[in-house]
Amino acid sequence: MRTPSRGRRRGAAVASVGLVRALRRFTVRASLPEELMPLAQLVMNLRWSWHPETRDLFEALDPDLWRTCGGDPVKVLGEVSADRLATLAKDRRFVRRMQDVVEDLDDYLSAPHWYQSLGETAPASIAYFSAEFGITEVLPQYSGGLGILAGDHLKAASDLGVPLIGVGLLYRAGYFEQGLSADGWQLEHYPALDPNGLPVKLLRQSDGTAVVISVPLPEGRTLYAHVWRAQVGRVSLLLLDSDIEENAPAERGVTDRLYGGDEDHRLRQEMLLGIGGVRALRAYCQLTGTPAPEVFHANEGHAGFQGVERIRELTESHGLSFPEALQAVRAGTVFTTHTPVPAGIDRFPRALIERYFAGFGVPLEHLIPLGAEDDPTKFNMAHMGLRLGQRANGVSQLHGHVSRGMFRDLWPGFDEDDVPISSITNGVHAPTWTARELVDLGTQSSRTGDPFSAEQPVAFDGVDRISAGELWSVRRMLRVRLVEEVRRRLRETALSRGAAEAEVGWTDTAFDPDVLTIGFARRVPSYKRLTLMLRDPERLRALLLDPDRPVQLVIAGKSHPADDGGKQLIQQMVKFADDPAVRHRIAFLPGYDIGMARYLYWGCDVWLNNPLRPLEACGTSGMKAALNGGLNLSIRDGWWDEWFDGQNGWAIPTADGVVDPDRRDDVEARAIYDLLGTQVIPRFYETDRDGIPSRWVEMVRHTLRETGPRVLATRMVRDYVQRLYVPAAGSARSMAEGGYAPAREESAWRARLQERWSSIRVAHVEATGAGDTPEIGSTLALRAEVELPGLAPGDVEVQAAYGRVDDADGLHDVTTVPMTHEQTDGSRHWFTATLPLERTGAFGYTVRVLPQSAHLADPAELGLVATA
């Protein structure tokens, strides 16, 4: 006869082997003693992710647990024992140390910084929208460079005192965790994230209930979301979460994972980011008393619907028409494009947009043209971003040039150089990415003060006071740390792919802390050419196994889950690295994230980057390596095209004129092998009598001193503030005066201008004064007759454009000067200008007419031009 207890045991046994899943997961924390309550404040401000003293404090809670938790203070605080906390509460030294860290944070949060010196012209608040934010691996809401850049933007804004508010989505499964199968195929795992176990707080009403944001969907459905707030130093980051009880099952999954799902799913995500993001901002500002944002910065096209929502607000709150509201919204909007290829742009079926926005409050006949492109069945999010943003930029000088070419059709009649897309080169957050030992050594110190105070332009001249021996010693120590991490990860990866314990002993001696170490880590789309180094496998093998001067390669990166081509590239690389003959010299490490990246940036001697030029918008990973004394070996693309100077690394020659892609890859791969064999490797192994590669160390020193200050995110954010945010705030304020009267007037003026522009004509141009044989130093007097039916001279700017002329009469190195209005006869007007003849050779000129308004940020903005 079965006893009840035996039956219970059998039931327990069945449950233990059955597939039982929790409905919810949450973290149970020990209650903090009163003396240690400030730890809760410290852990909820993500400044700990770049502040060493705060991290040291959390490590002191339990050093063993700190290592087990991978340096995650949130996890440590969730798992530290109550007994340990009770002991520390009585430890006066620890409590004093904690109070010092708390006071330092309070000073950081309250003291005026650089931004506070700008005065009233600076916007009181700026909203920064991005689909992903890479702040710390503890908050895995990023996939790659776009998110890391957004995280660094927030951190640098905090350091500078910029009143930024970040807006994004809280993905319950993040992007994905990467593994490898036995045959080297990428495997994706989506961990369930519990917001209550993350360093975020739910935004609540004054009565304690959660703030709920709603976004209308078709068929009378509604998408609801909670708002979680992460504190990034002085900057608040609002993350919207649709996995709440108010939603139907389909809507609960909208924020399930980053860059997942079909077009319908992605559209709902981007509506929640843009429309819901604006609504979350309004609620947050009202609850906290934070000034409403004057400037809205859309980091890529994913966030474009924020402009549509703001247009809807103005039409309802102030009775503006769509064109009037568009002028007001555009004035305060900044759009940054990161995409150098049309294939990287989000494009939705026009029918899908019409379905989702029917009845939204913005007429479809006005909304659809915002995203119009050559294909009338598509709605282009980048085009909408450019049409909604009065100010737009690329993320390096070269990318700005590429973007002007890629989007020039939106400004027909203008030369590529006239397209109103500027560039601000990306930067990286030095306190996040620089090895602590290098900072302590003084590589980022300056005779003029603390560079991290961000109160002044940075100069890393402190590196000149460091001896070659000290610099080389720290660089080797960082290489040792990387080698240890590589060995650990190689072992874990081998076991996860099915190897037995007895088969992984080789990982204990893999890699060598005294061998030239090259890093290559990034996302794995085809244009980044992960496998270019494998074009000649035997030549690569010879470099790896050279008995006197070997090299070792650490490789990492994730392919998008739907990109089988990228996964095949990873598999090819893994197959090569699995070879027992070379596996101690080359490794592909799965699981690339912020935590792994730091070891790579710290320890690699050379950072390799070999994209197809000019398809790398910026490439900030090489910047992070440079901050640690890593030398770049890179195609001249992105930031490297701008700041390579011959002493901070090596430029890989490009085969730009070669059409056949296989031949181009062969040519550029050979160039990499040649550079390694003839320049990089010899310089690394060429040592003086003290065993120091002095010429190499001087390149390291030069990189830290000259390249370091340029690549800082504080430099980047200063550029955004001065060149885009402050002017945008001025434009937005101007448009809003008198109940948006200027927006109404500007809209009417633009409508009248566009209606009559086709009638504008440069009827006649005559030149005098140069004589039959013009000489340098003389001048040319121009007089142009321009017909402006229905318009006044003040509506336009007439320009003389002149420069070098080619055999086809094309103008180059063009200079423009405004012409002066002199005479009117009905609709005919005469304008004059004097042109200096400043250089010899073929010279040409023309006259063109452009719109003119005090509210234009650029004369090409409207895409209207009339040329002689």
Side-chain angles (χ1 to χ4, degrees):
M1 184 176 69
R2 265 186 336 193
T3 64
S5 61
R6 188 175 299 168
R8 284 195 297 272
R9 284 199 299 272
R10 177 174 293 180
V14 170
S16 69
V17 297
L19 187 61
V20 179
R21 296 187 181 277
L23 288 173
R24 287 284 178 183
R25 59 180 293 153
F26 52 89
T27 302
V28 180
R29 294 177 179 169
S31 178
L32 286 174
E34 183 68 27
E35 297 86 347
L36 301 184
M37 286 302 292
L39 289 173
Q41 173 193 353
L42 292 173
V43 82
M44 295 305 291
N45 191 310
L46 292 172
R47 188 196 182 211
W48 57 253
S49 67
W50 73 89
H51 190 249
E53 289 77 12
T54 309
R55 294 180 65 81
D56 290 346
L57 180 73
F58 281 108
E59 181 177 7
L61 285 174
D62 187 328
D64 291 335
L65 183 60
W66 176 261
R67 285 188 292 274
T68 303
C69 293
D72 177 352
V74 183
K75 196 171 183 182
V76 168
L77 207 58
E79 297 187 13
V80 67
S81 70
D83 289 344
R84 175 62 177 163
L85 290 174
T87 299
L88 289 172
K90 298 174 183 176
D91 185 336
R92 285 183 291 180
R93 183 178 298 177
F94 180 87
V95 172
R96 272 199 309 272
R97 181 179 175 187
M98 179 189 66
Q99 290 297 340
D100 288 343
V101 173
V102 169
E103 289 173 10
D104 181 82
L105 176 61
D106 289 342
D107 289 344
Y108 174 82
L109 296 177
S110 60
H113 292 259
W114 168 79
Y115 190 85
Q116 282 63 51
S117 69
L118 299 182
E120 294 182 357
T121 59
S125 179
I126 302 149
Y128 182 89
F129 286 71
S130 182
E132 49 178 305
F133 286 92
I135 297 162
T136 165
E137 61 271 37
V138 174
L139 191 61
Q141 304 292 308
Y142 59 94
S143 72
L146 179 72
I148 302 299
L149 180 278
D152 282 7
H153 196 106
L154 264 57
K155 293 173 186 176
S158 175
D159 290 344
L160 290 164
V162 180
L164 209 68
I165 306 170
V167 182
L169 301 180
L170 183 74
Y171 304 97
R172 287 300 187 102
Y175 187 42
F176 67 88
E177 289 184 356
Q178 181 193 42
L180 294 174
S181 68
D183 64 353
W185 191 255
Q186 173 179 289
L187 303 175
E188 295 95 27
H189 170 61
Y190 294 90
L193 299 176
D194 170 25
N196 294 292
L198 299 175
V200 294
K201 284 185 177 180
L202 195 61
L203 185 64
R204 297 184 182 276
Q205 303 280 6
S206 55
D207 62 2
T209 59
V211 169
V212 179
I213 299 302
S214 64
V215 175
L217 296 177
E219 292 87 45
R221 293 177 293 128
T222 302
L223 172 60
Y224 297 100
H226 282 170
V227 183
W228 296 88
R229 174 183 176 184
Q231 198 62 34
V232 187
R234 297 163 66 110
V235 169
S236 290
L237 169 59
L238 308 180
L239 300 170
L240 283 82
D241 172 19
S242 70
D243 189 11
I244 61 175
E245 293 179 358
E246 287 87 344
N247 279 325
E251 281 71 50
R252 290 189 77 147
V254 166
T255 55
D256 55 354
R257 60 186 63 168
L258 178 60
Y259 301 145
D262 57 13
E263 289 176 328
D264 189 270
H265 187 77
R266 289 288 299 277
L267 178 57
R268 284 183 291 169
Q269 283 190 337
E270 297 189 12
M271 290 177 68
L272 182 59
L273 173 62
I275 299 167
V278 171
R279 297 179 182 186
L281 271 171
R282 303 305 187 207
Y284 169 76
C285 292
Q286 183 177 17
L287 285 168
T288 62
T290 302
E294 296 182 89
V295 175
F296 287 73
H297 184 174
N299 191 40
E300 257 306 342
H302 315 114
F305 293 123
Q306 53 81 25
V308 177
E309 168 65 4
R310 289 159 56 217
I311 288 171
R312 185 201 62 79
E313 287 181 332
L314 286 175
T315 59
E316 294 186 3
S317 64
H318 287 76
L320 301 185
S321 67
F322 179 93
E324 293 166 349
L326 175 61
Q327 300 313 313
V329 165
R330 288 186 75 251
T333 303
V334 172
F335 175 68
T336 297
T337 174
H338 295 258
T339 309
V341 287
I345 295 172
D346 272 348
R347 299 162 72 233
F348 293 106
R350 170 176 169 166
L352 193 64
I353 299 293
E354 291 173 338
R355 175 174 164 241
Y356 269 84
F357 282 88
F360 173 73
V362 174
L364 287 175
E365 64 267 25
H366 292 309
L367 172 63
I368 296 299
L370 291 176
E373 58 158 80
D374 290 341
D375 184 345
T377 70
K378 294 294 184 181
F379 187 92
N380 188 305
M381 294 297 288
H383 286 195
M384 180 171 70
L386 290 164
R387 291 181 175 120
L388 283 174
Q390 189 171 30
R391 291 165 177 84
N393 69 286
V395 291
S396 68
Q397 286 185 6
L398 179 59
H399 180 236
H401 172 73
V402 169
S403 299
R404 288 188 288 275
M406 190 164 80
F407 296 113
R408 65 178 298 178
D409 289 348
L410 273 64
W411 290 272
F414 285 91
D415 290 338
E416 188 174 294
D417 289 345
D418 289 326
V419 170
I421 300 176
S422 64
S423 62
I424 291 179
T425 303
N426 283 343
V428 296
H429 188 243
T432 294
W433 300 110
T434 310
R436 187 172 179 177
E437 292 80 4
L438 284 167
V439 177
D440 292 344
L441 194 62
T443 59
Q444 294 178 359
S445 65
S446 168
R447 295 187 182 92
T448 58
D450 176 10
F452 291 161
S453 71
E455 303 298 330
Q456 58 209 6
V458 175
F460 288 172
D461 49 16
V463 72
D464 292 330
R465 300 190 292 273
I466 304 168
S467 71
E470 287 180 293
L471 201 51
W472 182 243
S473 176
V474 171
R475 285 292 313 149
R476 184 185 184 279
M477 182 274 297
L478 295 172
R479 200 182 312 113
V480 168
R481 185 183 294 166
L482 171 61
V483 167
E484 292 172 348
E485 181 68 6
V486 169
R487 290 172 179 172
R488 182 185 71 80
R489 288 179 179 265
L490 279 173
R491 177 184 175 84
E492 286 184 355
T493 301
L495 293 172
S496 71
R497 295 175 64 197
E501 282 282 351
E503 297 176 292
V504 297
W506 66 272
T507 62
D508 294 340
T509 55
F511 283 65
D512 185 328
D514 291 308
V515 166
L516 171 63
T517 304
I518 301 172
F520 183 100
R522 49 191 37 85
R523 289 185 304 111
V524 190
S526 58
Y527 76 86
K528 291 182 184 281
R529 298 191 294 184
L530 170 72
T531 56
L532 187 65
M533 63 188 82
L534 299 182
R535 294 297 290 188
D536 187 341
E538 291 311 310
R539 193 165 179 185
L540 176 59
R541 194 183 305 268
L543 291 170
L544 295 171
L545 301 178
D546 187 289
D548 300 315
R549 302 186 307 182
V551 300
Q552 54 196 15
L553 273 160
V554 190
I555 303 157
K558 292 180 176 180
S559 175
H560 188 281
D563 182 7
D564 282 352
K567 293 180 185 181
Q568 288 171 356
L569 296 178
I570 290 175
Q571 189 176 43
Q572 292 171 30
M573 182 58 67
V574 173
K575 183 178 179 181
F576 182 88
D578 277 347
D579 183 348
V582 298
R583 66 187 180 185
H584 63 299
R585 287 280 185 261
I586 183 170
F588 181 90
L589 304 180
Y592 185 46
D593 66 0
I594 290 174
M596 181 198 293
R598 287 196 189 94
Y599 285 96
L600 296 175
Y601 300 140
W602 295 342
C604 286
D605 301 292
V606 173
W607 198 257
L608 176 63
N609 189 27
N610 46 234
L612 277 169
R613 187 180 190 272
L615 303 185
E616 183 82 278
C618 185
T620 55
S621 60
M623 294 179 169
K624 295 158 194 161
L627 278 175
N628 289 282
L631 306 182
N632 277 264
L633 172 62
S634 177
I635 296 286
R636 289 197 66 163
D637 203 358
W639 76 276
W640 189 239
D641 183 69
E642 201 170 323
W643 288 330
F644 166 66
D645 62 15
Q647 295 299 314
N648 53 357
W650 297 268
I652 302 168
T654 53
D656 290 341
V658 177
V659 177
D660 178 52
D662 285 332
R663 182 162 173 259
R664 177 172 180 167
D665 284 355
D666 285 338
V667 170
E668 295 184 0
R670 279 198 301 272
I672 294 173
Y673 300 138
D674 290 344
L675 277 171
L676 285 170
T678 62
Q679 297 188 43
V680 181
I681 295 172
R683 184 158 297 190
F684 181 86
Y685 286 106
E686 177 189 281
T687 58
D688 59 21
R689 67 181 66 180
D690 297 319
I692 298 170
S694 54
R695 292 176 67 204
W696 184 279
V697 171
E698 285 312 305
M699 291 183 72
V700 170
R701 190 191 306 277
H702 174 89
T703 296
L704 292 167
R705 182 181 60 244
E706 302 299 331
T707 308
R710 294 177 175 178
V711 303
L712 296 182
T714 45
R715 186 271 312 152
M716 171 189 71
V717 172
R718 273 196 185 98
D719 287 348
Y720 273 103
V721 168
Q722 294 169 330
R723 293 166 50 187
L724 297 178
Y725 294 165
V726 170
S731 296
R733 291 169 186 169
S734 177
M735 281 290 176
E737 289 176 357
Y740 291 93
R744 300 175 199 270
E745 293 166 4
E746 183 75 2
S747 174
W749 173 78
R750 292 189 182 200
R752 186 177 77 253
L753 196 74
Q754 289 171 330
E755 178 186 351
R756 298 174 182 177
W757 193 262
S758 60
S759 301
I760 292 177
R761 189 168 71 96
V762 181
H764 178 69
V765 179
E766 60 183 41
T768 59
D772 295 332
T773 55
E775 295 181 354
I776 193 168
S778 59
T779 59
L780 191 70
L782 287 190
R783 191 168 191 264
E785 178 188 341
V786 181
E787 295 181 2
L788 301 173
L791 297 172
D795 290 328
V796 299
E797 179 178 281
V798 180
Q799 294 179 344
Y802 62 95
R804 180 174 54 83
V805 67
D806 60 25
D807 292 341
D809 293 333
L811 283 177
H812 303 274
D813 304 324
V814 177
T815 301
T816 60
V817 295
M819 301 184 73
T820 303
H821 179 252
E822 283 206 340
Q823 184 181 345
T824 295
D825 181 6
S827 64
R828 294 188 301 163
H829 305 266
W830 283 263
F831 297 81
T832 61
T834 301
L835 309 186
L837 303 182
E838 298 171 320
R839 55 191 170 196
T840 58
F843 178 89
Y845 64 86
T846 189
V847 171
R848 65 180 185 175
V849 185
L850 298 166
Q852 178 173 268
S853 164
H855 298 296
L856 289 175
D858 188 285
E861 186 178 314
L862 298 183
L864 300 175
V865 62
T867 307

